[in-house]
Amino acid sequence: MSAVRRVAVIAAPPVSMFNLAIPEMLFAKVEVDGGPGYETVICTTDPGPVTTSGALDLHIPHGLDAVDAADTVILAGTGQYTDPDPRILDVLRRAAADGKRIASICTGAFALAAAGLLDGRRATTYWAYSGLLAERHPAVDLQDDVLFVQDGPLLTSSGYAAGIDLCLHIIRTDHGAAVANQVARLALVAPVRPGGQAQFTHTPLPPERGVSFTDTRAWAMAHLDEPLTLTDLARHAGVSVRTLSRRFHAETGVSPLQWLLHQRVERARELLETTSLPMDQVARACGLGTADSLRQHVLRRTGLTPSAYRASFSRLAGTASPAVAS
């Protein structure tokens, strides 16, 4: 049986209710070996009534001592981001010293930066506050136009739905792509959005109204085992290759071929977890061609060879084992 991972979500008033709901909802849907994959506790500086950034207040019974028992600490966004509570900064520093994984959603990055945890590290926040974060904390290597970024044990995300992408990334890291994709399906959200995908701040939709490549992306997902080209995608969408490239990037924040490669690797990960197919068959089934190509892309994405990845994340009875060096 897999050990339950403990997550402490810190609510700094006035806290974003949406930010708090994301980890609570997604981690609660994780089931591993017939049991829960996570135990999530929401905590705050002063247990009891906690103000939010909306019209409702919350009652949070747990104090910051909940962080001591956690493997992962997530700081939700707050309206009081420019002057974080010193007690939160202290608990974040202790958590970092203990080697815990620490993440933030939206303006939660300001507290991580104020605690000195982001100095010299890549980080992001909601695009509307990125200039202020850069001004107040110049030692942070700010990535101001991505959904989320991980630098070692520190993870930061942009605002709103990017918190969903961050939590799915954590689930994918802990339990593999198959579990993360199942959670995404249960939550009715897109299972795979690369962390480097743009926040859409500088990529508005093109003048053509009401036209989306959603159907073309769905078609491509159903044909990943085929050698798809830009011409194939453009033909399905009924546009020129040039128009496809321009509008696809405007809609998704990545090029068509970057998106396609990402989906192929994610499909490979899921096949490695859920089947016993030989490596060359996995490579063909996801469109990566050869076992050597599969190895190259899986190693680049996960840090593990395909065989080591399968050993770590296989959902087949009796096949999973601790990761081995690759």
mmCIF file of all heavy atoms in Angstrom, residues 6 16 21 32 45 66 72 91-92 104 136 184 190 201 203 209 216 225 229 246 254 256 261 288 306 311 316 319:
data_model
loop_
_atom_site.group_PDB
_atom_site.id
_atom_site.type_symbol
_atom_site.label_atom_id
_atom_site.label_comp_id
_atom_site.label_asym_id
_atom_site.label_seq_id
_atom_site.Cartn_x
_atom_site.Cartn_y
_atom_site.Cartn_z
ATOM 1 N N ARG A 6 0.870 13.870 3.026
ATOM 2 C CA ARG A 6 0.169 14.898 3.788
ATOM 3 C C ARG A 6 0.464 16.286 3.203
ATOM 4 O O ARG A 6 1.620 16.636 2.976
ATOM 5 C CB ARG A 6 0.577 14.846 5.256
ATOM 6 C CG ARG A 6 0.139 13.564 5.959
ATOM 7 C CD ARG A 6 0.519 13.573 7.433
ATOM 8 N NE ARG A 6 -0.066 12.439 8.129
ATOM 9 C CZ ARG A 6 0.484 11.236 8.190
ATOM 10 N NH1 ARG A 6 1.641 11.014 7.588
ATOM 11 N NH2 ARG A 6 -0.108 10.261 8.851
ATOM 12 N N SER A 16 -7.919 33.716 -0.785
ATOM 13 C CA SER A 16 -8.741 33.429 -1.954
ATOM 14 C C SER A 16 -9.444 32.095 -1.755
ATOM 15 O O SER A 16 -8.800 31.049 -1.624
ATOM 16 C CB SER A 16 -7.870 33.369 -3.215
ATOM 17 O OG SER A 16 -8.569 32.755 -4.275
ATOM 18 N N ALA A 21 -9.898 26.026 -2.566
ATOM 19 C CA ALA A 21 -10.715 24.915 -3.068
ATOM 20 C C ALA A 21 -9.933 24.008 -4.004
ATOM 21 O O ALA A 21 -10.226 22.807 -4.091
ATOM 22 C CB ALA A 21 -11.952 25.464 -3.783
ATOM 23 N N VAL A 32 -5.125 5.680 -4.547
ATOM 24 C CA VAL A 32 -3.972 4.841 -4.881
ATOM 25 C C VAL A 32 -4.060 3.548 -4.087
ATOM 26 O O VAL A 32 -4.215 3.573 -2.863
ATOM 27 C CB VAL A 32 -2.642 5.574 -4.570
ATOM 28 C CG1 VAL A 32 -1.454 4.686 -4.927
ATOM 29 C CG2 VAL A 32 -2.563 6.895 -5.324
ATOM 30 N N THR A 45 -2.954 31.234 10.578
ATOM 31 C CA THR A 45 -2.170 31.770 11.702
ATOM 32 C C THR A 45 -2.970 31.774 13.001
ATOM 33 O O THR A 45 -2.465 31.404 14.058
ATOM 34 C CB THR A 45 -1.705 33.198 11.376
ATOM 35 O OG1 THR A 45 -2.829 33.954 10.894
ATOM 36 C CG2 THR A 45 -0.624 33.193 10.318
ATOM 37 N N ALA A 66 0.092 22.475 11.856
ATOM 38 C CA ALA A 66 -0.243 21.409 10.894
ATOM 39 C C ALA A 66 0.856 21.235 9.853
ATOM 40 O O ALA A 66 0.986 20.160 9.258
ATOM 41 C CB ALA A 66 -1.567 21.729 10.206
ATOM 42 N N THR A 72 4.085 18.267 1.990
ATOM 43 C CA THR A 72 3.988 19.356 1.026
ATOM 44 C C THR A 72 3.234 20.508 1.665
ATOM 45 O O THR A 72 2.209 20.303 2.331
ATOM 46 C CB THR A 72 3.237 18.903 -0.245
ATOM 47 O OG1 THR A 72 3.963 17.831 -0.856
ATOM 48 C CG2 THR A 72 3.088 20.045 -1.234
ATOM 49 N N VAL A 91 7.368 29.768 9.522
ATOM 50 C CA VAL A 91 7.008 28.371 9.286
ATOM 51 C C VAL A 91 7.449 27.921 7.901
ATOM 52 O O VAL A 91 7.823 26.750 7.703
ATOM 53 C CB VAL A 91 5.488 28.159 9.489
ATOM 54 C CG1 VAL A 91 4.673 28.608 8.294
ATOM 55 C CG2 VAL A 91 5.181 26.701 9.822
ATOM 56 N N LEU A 92 7.464 28.828 6.929
ATOM 57 C CA LEU A 92 7.957 28.485 5.596
ATOM 58 C C LEU A 92 9.455 28.201 5.630
ATOM 59 O O LEU A 92 9.933 27.249 4.994
ATOM 60 C CB LEU A 92 7.666 29.622 4.621
ATOM 61 C CG LEU A 92 6.204 29.825 4.223
ATOM 62 C CD1 LEU A 92 6.065 31.075 3.352
ATOM 63 C CD2 LEU A 92 5.651 28.604 3.493
ATOM 64 N N SER A 104 3.223 27.595 -4.084
ATOM 65 C CA SER A 104 2.335 28.742 -3.896
ATOM 66 C C SER A 104 1.414 28.863 -5.101
ATOM 67 O O SER A 104 1.764 28.457 -6.211
ATOM 68 C CB SER A 104 3.127 30.040 -3.720
ATOM 69 O OG SER A 104 3.805 30.386 -4.916
ATOM 70 N N ARG A 136 9.992 44.268 -5.735
ATOM 71 C CA ARG A 136 10.224 44.043 -4.306
ATOM 72 C C ARG A 136 11.270 42.962 -4.041
ATOM 73 O O ARG A 136 11.930 42.985 -3.003
ATOM 74 C CB ARG A 136 8.910 43.654 -3.625
ATOM 75 C CG ARG A 136 7.951 44.820 -3.444
ATOM 76 C CD ARG A 136 6.640 44.359 -2.820
ATOM 77 N NE ARG A 136 5.827 45.508 -2.450
ATOM 78 C CZ ARG A 136 5.761 46.011 -1.214
ATOM 79 N NH1 ARG A 136 6.461 45.456 -0.250
ATOM 80 N NH2 ARG A 136 5.014 47.056 -0.959
ATOM 81 N N ALA A 184 -8.026 14.647 -13.375
ATOM 82 C CA ALA A 184 -8.448 15.721 -14.281
ATOM 83 C C ALA A 184 -9.790 15.398 -14.915
ATOM 84 O O ALA A 184 -10.651 16.279 -15.059
ATOM 85 C CB ALA A 184 -7.386 15.939 -15.353
ATOM 86 N N ALA A 190 -8.759 20.128 -18.268
ATOM 87 C CA ALA A 190 -7.773 19.606 -19.207
ATOM 88 C C ALA A 190 -6.667 18.897 -18.441
ATOM 89 O O ALA A 190 -6.113 19.463 -17.491
ATOM 90 C CB ALA A 190 -7.186 20.747 -20.039
ATOM 91 N N THR A 201 -1.347 36.454 -21.367
ATOM 92 C CA THR A 201 -1.372 37.890 -21.156
ATOM 93 C C THR A 201 -0.965 38.652 -22.401
ATOM 94 O O THR A 201 -1.388 39.781 -22.599
ATOM 95 C CB THR A 201 -0.397 38.272 -20.026
ATOM 96 O OG1 THR A 201 0.923 37.816 -20.378
ATOM 97 C CG2 THR A 201 -0.813 37.610 -18.737
ATOM 98 N N THR A 203 -0.953 37.030 -25.563
ATOM 99 C CA THR A 203 -1.365 36.249 -26.725
ATOM 100 C C THR A 203 -2.877 36.243 -26.845
ATOM 101 O O THR A 203 -3.519 35.227 -26.646
ATOM 102 C CB THR A 203 -0.853 34.800 -26.625
ATOM 103 O OG1 THR A 203 -1.294 34.256 -25.363
ATOM 104 C CG2 THR A 203 0.647 34.735 -26.700
ATOM 105 N N ARG A 209 -13.351 35.527 -35.143
ATOM 106 C CA ARG A 209 -14.179 35.281 -33.968
ATOM 107 C C ARG A 209 -14.790 33.887 -34.001
ATOM 108 O O ARG A 209 -15.124 33.356 -35.051
ATOM 109 C CB ARG A 209 -15.316 36.318 -33.894
ATOM 110 C CG ARG A 209 -14.820 37.761 -33.836
ATOM 111 C CD ARG A 209 -14.218 38.070 -32.486
ATOM 112 N NE ARG A 209 -13.788 39.466 -32.410
ATOM 113 C CZ ARG A 209 -13.226 40.009 -31.340
ATOM 114 N NH1 ARG A 209 -13.046 39.274 -30.276
ATOM 115 N NH2 ARG A 209 -12.866 41.263 -31.343
ATOM 116 N N THR A 216 -9.667 20.130 -33.513
ATOM 117 C CA THR A 216 -8.435 19.625 -34.133
ATOM 118 C C THR A 216 -7.520 19.004 -33.088
ATOM 119 O O THR A 216 -6.896 17.971 -33.332
ATOM 120 C CB THR A 216 -7.717 20.748 -34.888
ATOM 121 O OG1 THR A 216 -8.555 21.191 -35.966
ATOM 122 C CG2 THR A 216 -6.388 20.279 -35.457
ATOM 123 N N ASP A 225 -0.783 7.981 -32.679
ATOM 124 C CA ASP A 225 0.062 6.909 -33.187
ATOM 125 C C ASP A 225 0.427 7.108 -34.655
ATOM 126 O O ASP A 225 1.196 6.319 -35.216
ATOM 127 C CB ASP A 225 -0.628 5.556 -33.006
ATOM 128 C CG ASP A 225 -1.974 5.487 -33.701
ATOM 129 O OD1 ASP A 225 -2.616 6.550 -33.863
ATOM 130 O OD2 ASP A 225 -2.386 4.386 -34.089
ATOM 131 N N THR A 229 1.639 15.808 -39.179
ATOM 132 C CA THR A 229 2.442 16.959 -39.583
ATOM 133 C C THR A 229 1.607 18.227 -39.438
ATOM 134 O O THR A 229 0.391 18.176 -39.212
ATOM 135 C CB THR A 229 2.895 16.820 -41.039
ATOM 136 O OG1 THR A 229 1.725 16.864 -41.886
ATOM 137 C CG2 THR A 229 3.637 15.512 -41.264
ATOM 138 N N ARG A 246 -0.047 30.411 -36.416
ATOM 139 C CA ARG A 246 -0.261 31.697 -35.747
ATOM 140 C C ARG A 246 -1.398 31.614 -34.732
ATOM 141 O O ARG A 246 -1.247 32.016 -33.577
ATOM 142 C CB ARG A 246 -0.556 32.768 -36.791
ATOM 143 C CG ARG A 246 -0.978 34.126 -36.219
ATOM 144 C CD ARG A 246 -1.064 35.168 -37.325
ATOM 145 N NE ARG A 246 -1.954 34.752 -38.395
ATOM 146 C CZ ARG A 246 -3.284 34.930 -38.378
ATOM 147 N NH1 ARG A 246 -3.853 35.511 -37.341
ATOM 148 N NH2 ARG A 246 -4.026 34.553 -39.397
ATOM 149 N N VAL A 254 1.567 27.740 -27.079
ATOM 150 C CA VAL A 254 2.681 26.939 -27.598
ATOM 151 C C VAL A 254 2.418 26.656 -29.076
ATOM 152 O O VAL A 254 1.292 26.802 -29.564
ATOM 153 C CB VAL A 254 2.842 25.597 -26.836
ATOM 154 C CG1 VAL A 254 3.268 25.844 -25.407
ATOM 155 C CG2 VAL A 254 1.555 24.780 -26.876
ATOM 156 N N PRO A 256 2.011 24.317 -32.537
ATOM 157 C CA PRO A 256 1.352 23.025 -32.736
ATOM 158 C C PRO A 256 2.267 21.832 -32.494
ATOM 159 O O PRO A 256 1.859 20.842 -31.878
ATOM 160 C CB PRO A 256 0.889 23.091 -34.199
ATOM 161 C CG PRO A 256 0.761 24.541 -34.491
ATOM 162 C CD PRO A 256 1.849 25.201 -33.706
ATOM 163 N N LEU A 261 4.175 17.167 -29.306
ATOM 164 C CA LEU A 261 5.215 16.400 -28.624
ATOM 165 C C LEU A 261 4.860 16.199 -27.160
ATOM 166 O O LEU A 261 5.050 15.103 -26.607
ATOM 167 C CB LEU A 261 6.565 17.108 -28.758
ATOM 168 C CG LEU A 261 7.737 16.445 -28.019
ATOM 169 C CD1 LEU A 261 7.964 15.027 -28.520
ATOM 170 C CD2 LEU A 261 9.008 17.286 -28.171
ATOM 171 N N LEU A 288 6.064 8.331 -31.095
ATOM 172 C CA LEU A 288 7.467 8.730 -30.944
ATOM 173 C C LEU A 288 8.403 7.879 -31.799
ATOM 174 O O LEU A 288 9.601 8.145 -31.839
ATOM 175 C CB LEU A 288 7.876 8.651 -29.470
ATOM 176 C CG LEU A 288 7.249 9.718 -28.565
ATOM 177 C CD1 LEU A 288 7.622 9.492 -27.107
ATOM 178 C CD2 LEU A 288 7.661 11.122 -29.007
ATOM 179 N N PRO A 306 12.566 5.066 -19.565
ATOM 180 C CA PRO A 306 11.239 4.447 -19.592
ATOM 181 C C PRO A 306 11.097 3.247 -18.659
ATOM 182 O O PRO A 306 10.078 3.089 -17.992
ATOM 183 C CB PRO A 306 11.077 4.051 -21.058
ATOM 184 C CG PRO A 306 11.895 5.053 -21.808
ATOM 185 C CD PRO A 306 13.089 5.298 -20.933
ATOM 186 N N ALA A 311 8.930 1.118 -13.567
ATOM 187 C CA ALA A 311 9.152 0.498 -12.261
ATOM 188 C C ALA A 311 8.627 1.362 -11.128
ATOM 189 O O ALA A 311 8.149 0.853 -10.113
ATOM 190 C CB ALA A 311 10.641 0.217 -12.062
ATOM 191 N N LEU A 316 0.111 -1.718 -12.607
ATOM 192 C CA LEU A 316 -0.160 -3.146 -12.737
ATOM 193 C C LEU A 316 0.269 -3.861 -11.465
ATOM 194 O O LEU A 316 1.350 -3.605 -10.925
ATOM 195 C CB LEU A 316 0.594 -3.729 -13.942
ATOM 196 C CG LEU A 316 0.255 -3.108 -15.297
ATOM 197 C CD1 LEU A 316 1.099 -3.767 -16.385
ATOM 198 C CD2 LEU A 316 -1.224 -3.246 -15.606
ATOM 199 N N THR A 319 4.074 -5.039 -10.142
ATOM 200 C CA THR A 319 5.153 -4.579 -11.002
ATOM 201 C C THR A 319 5.813 -3.316 -10.508
ATOM 202 O O THR A 319 6.887 -2.963 -10.949
ATOM 203 C CB THR A 319 4.634 -4.314 -12.432
ATOM 204 O OG1 THR A 319 3.618 -3.321 -12.384
ATOM 205 C CG2 THR A 319 4.088 -5.579 -13.048
#
